[in-house]
Amino acid sequence: MTTVLLVDDEAAITDNLAPFLQRSGFQVVVAGDGDAALARIGADRPDLVVLDVLMPGRDGRSVLREVRQGGSTVPIILLTQVGESGERAMALEEGADDYLNKPFDPHELVARIRAVLRRGTPAAGPSLASAHRLRSGVLELDRASQRVFRDGAEVVLTPRATTLLGYLMTHPGETVSRERLLEEVWGWSFHTSTRTVDTRVAELRRAVEDDSGDPQLVVTVPGEGYRFAGPVEAG
């Protein structure tokens, strides 16, 4: 059974969320602060960590940095009350595999956990979210310089389209709604028009697909959103 370490200093959250995760098929270990989280990660070797950011003492970001600096690639999903896109981007740069804003639907958390676990295990090496380069066939994204290459030649994309490509490539095989892309990539709330997403997807397809009218990488899932359908590996 997959073991999830749930880290939050609010007992009202862990007391309700832990049983929900157990009913969803996970074995759950709970820690109430950052120091306890680090001890649990070392002792219990969880398959995934759900980590609150805002905790007294050693906060979640500090735990994340220490875990990654120690060489562990255990998948980590951050729980945060800060929704700015810059904050989320910084979390990914520091090695988080995903993040979820509080308050959240527990079903959404379970979906994120399963998606992260599908993308790989600690034994598989560096996570896609923390990789500096991502590759899918002839397509390569250099996340440090925000440059995209196809067959070795650089393709020109707007900064937002490049960020969108990075998000989709770090979530391969996962269907992502337009609303979630607006929140995660643009940092906008749901009332903003989702046509913005469609425009940038069309730009991506023109640049990275053999035939933008018959996309094989950035595919549409009718009624749900978009999915990066190619295999992705960390560079």
Side-chain angles (χ1 to χ4, degrees):
M1 184 179 293
T2 299
T3 299
V4 172
L5 171 60
L6 175 60
V7 186
D8 200 302
D9 64 303
E10 296 183 52
I13 291 179
T14 56
D15 288 350
N16 289 282
L17 193 53
F20 182 87
L21 293 175
Q22 289 169 342
R23 291 193 297 271
S24 300
F26 302 108
Q27 180 174 324
V28 181
V29 179
V30 174
D33 57 50
D35 290 327
L38 289 171
R40 285 288 194 179
I41 291 170
D44 298 317
R45 303 291 180 183
D47 298 293
L48 182 140
V49 180
V50 177
L51 178 62
D52 185 34
V53 171
L54 299 177
M55 296 185 293
R58 189 190 298 270
D59 65 13
R61 293 276 293 281
S62 174
V63 172
L64 171 64
R65 286 193 295 270
E66 186 159 337
V67 169
R68 294 295 182 243
Q69 289 168 3
S72 173
T73 57
V74 59
I76 296 177
I77 298 176
L78 292 181
L79 303 179
T80 177
Q81 294 175 328
V82 181
E84 285 79 3
S85 58
E87 175 76 12
R88 296 195 297 270
M90 189 178 299
L92 290 181
E93 287 294 324
E94 291 178 340
D97 293 85
D98 209 340
Y99 39 78
L100 196 58
N101 287 334
K102 289 182 173 180
F104 55 86
D105 184 337
H107 294 90
E108 173 72 4
L109 175 60
V110 169
R112 300 282 186 103
I113 290 173
R114 289 175 174 157
V116 168
L117 291 173
R118 282 197 302 270
R119 297 202 296 266
T121 63
S127 69
L128 295 179
S130 61
H132 293 296
R133 286 178 178 264
L134 299 171
R135 294 187 180 89
S136 180
V138 299
L139 180 66
E140 179 178 339
L141 169 62
D142 185 324
R143 300 177 73 201
S145 64
Q146 287 294 91
R147 300 169 70 192
V148 179
F149 302 87
R150 190 172 185 272
D151 283 322
E154 185 170 1
V155 297
V156 179
L157 291 171
T158 60
R160 191 68 69 182
T162 303
T163 303
L164 174 61
L165 177 62
Y167 188 84
L168 291 171
M169 290 185 74
T170 55
H171 297 75
E174 181 180 348
T175 299
V176 187
S177 70
R178 292 171 174 83
E179 291 81 8
R180 181 174 165 193
L181 287 171
L182 276 176
E183 180 185 6
E184 306 290 11
V185 177
W186 276 261
W188 294 351
S189 58
F190 290 174
H191 66 265
T192 306
S193 172
T194 56
R195 287 293 300 168
T196 302
V197 178
D198 298 334
T199 300
R200 295 282 77 83
V201 167
E203 177 190 347
L204 270 183
R205 287 172 170 167
R206 289 192 296 270
V208 306
E209 300 279 3
D210 291 328
D211 179 0
S212 61
D214 182 26
Q216 302 298 307
L217 291 176
V218 183
V219 302
T220 300
V221 181
E224 297 188 43
Y226 295 105
R227 174 169 54 87
F228 193 88
V232 180
E233 61 181 14

